[in-house]
Amino acid sequence: MAAASGVACMVVVVLALTAGITLIMFRTGSMSPSIPAGAVAVVQRVPASSIEIGDVVTVDRSGDLPVTHRVTSVEAGAEEGQRIITMRGDANADDDPFPYEVTSVRIVLFSVPGVATVIAGLGDPRVLGALTLAATVLVVWAFWPRTPREARA
């Protein structure tokens, strides 16, 4: 089980570095019911030129938290590769108040409901300390010198 977890962690790191894939945690229900609060989404950075109406994308905002909503319109921007998009959360009645000028966005590949609280909990110092202690005990137990089986008999 520990080996499988280690391999999964390595795969996630390689995907993050090579394919621009990361995780986004949802704190609000603005994308409910398709992505409820407490969900985690797997997102990938893509050029703005590949955005289509209906895509769920995350837009980075300077000095503010990113916003993840569904694209409602796409227009060409002033520069090549730039797009001006409007977005709306699935649970919202109106579009976001201002359009976003973007050259790249993070598109939502899929989401998993209810996982955000588990991931956030893993960042708690007490949990990290307990995991570190458990890993230390496991390593010490695995490499502790043992007596040969013949000597035990």
Side-chain angles (χ1 to χ4, degrees):
M1 189 164 116
S5 296
V7 169
C9 287
M10 287 187 284
V11 167
V12 168
V13 168
V14 168
L15 283 174
L17 294 174
T18 59
I21 293 177
T22 56
L23 300 177
I24 297 279
M25 293 190 280
F26 287 82
R27 293 184 179 165
T28 68
S30 68
M31 282 302 296
S32 292
S34 56
I35 305 174
V40 169
V42 175
V43 296
Q44 182 177 25
R45 186 158 299 279
V46 296
S49 59
S50 67
I51 303 170
E52 297 180 0
I53 294 174
D55 288 344
V56 178
V57 300
T58 299
V59 173
D60 295 315
R61 302 181 294 172
S62 63
D64 209 351
L65 291 174
V67 63
T68 304
H69 283 161
R70 192 172 304 278
V71 176
T72 57
S73 73
V74 180
E75 298 176 16
E79 302 171 14
E80 186 176 335
Q82 185 182 47
R83 297 293 184 265
I84 300 171
I85 61 174
T86 56
M87 302 192 312
R88 176 187 316 157
D90 289 354
N92 299 343
D94 298 316
D95 286 347
D96 295 351
F98 303 104
Y100 303 95
E101 294 181 19
V102 294
T103 55
S104 70
V105 296
R106 291 177 282 169
I107 191 164
V108 174
L109 302 175
F110 64 91
S111 64
V112 180
V115 179
T117 54
V118 174
I119 292 174
L122 289 174
D124 184 309
R126 293 172 291 197
V127 173
L128 289 173
L131 289 173
T132 302
L133 184 62
T136 302
V137 168
L138 183 62
V139 168
V140 168
W141 173 78
F143 290 105
W144 194 264
R146 293 188 171 48
T147 56
R149 289 183 186 234
E150 298 90 31
R152 284 189 236 159

